Amino acid sequence: MTGSDEDPRVAGLRTAVSRLRRELAALPADFPDRGIAEDELAALAAMASGGSPDTPRLRGSLLLIAGAIGSVSALKRALSEVRQAVDLFGEPRV
């Protein structure tokens, strides 16, 4: 922990999302679903800053992001880090 009650999974998610957002912003290529990826990354960032995110919503955003940028090889590593961060939240509770 970082001296607070912050969930380390949330901190990891915030870091991974921030990295992917930076890499996407630096990517000069334009592609049709870039806006979708940017919107969903903003949603993930908001969820991570709000404390304990909703797991089904995290997974939904991840699917949209992966669908939007999945074929952009320059973002593959950062996208994988976001996926790993989301996976730390486990299965949604029923």
Side-chain angles (χ1 to χ4, degrees):
M1 298 253 187
T2 59
S4 70
D5 291 334
E6 182 178 40
D7 185 336
R9 298 174 304 167
V10 174
L13 176 63
R14 190 171 39 253
T15 299
V17 168
S18 178
R19 177 179 177 195
L20 182 53
R21 289 178 89 181
R22 283 191 316 271
E23 290 188 17
L24 179 59
L27 189 69
D30 197 17
F31 50 93
D33 294 331
R34 185 179 190 131
I36 293 169
E38 290 169 344
D39 289 347
E40 289 303 317
L41 283 167
L44 280 179
M47 283 186 266
S49 69
S52 195
D54 179 52
T55 302
R57 179 69 177 111
L58 286 176
R59 293 185 183 285
S61 288
L62 177 61
L63 286 173
L64 288 169
I65 293 165
I69 65 173
S71 65
V72 180
S73 61
L75 301 174
K76 184 177 180 179
R77 178 181 236 171
L79 177 59
S80 178
E81 289 177 9
V82 171
R83 182 193 56 79
Q84 290 170 358
V86 169
D87 285 348
L88 291 177
F89 287 89
E91 293 298 316
R93 294 182 185 149
V94 180

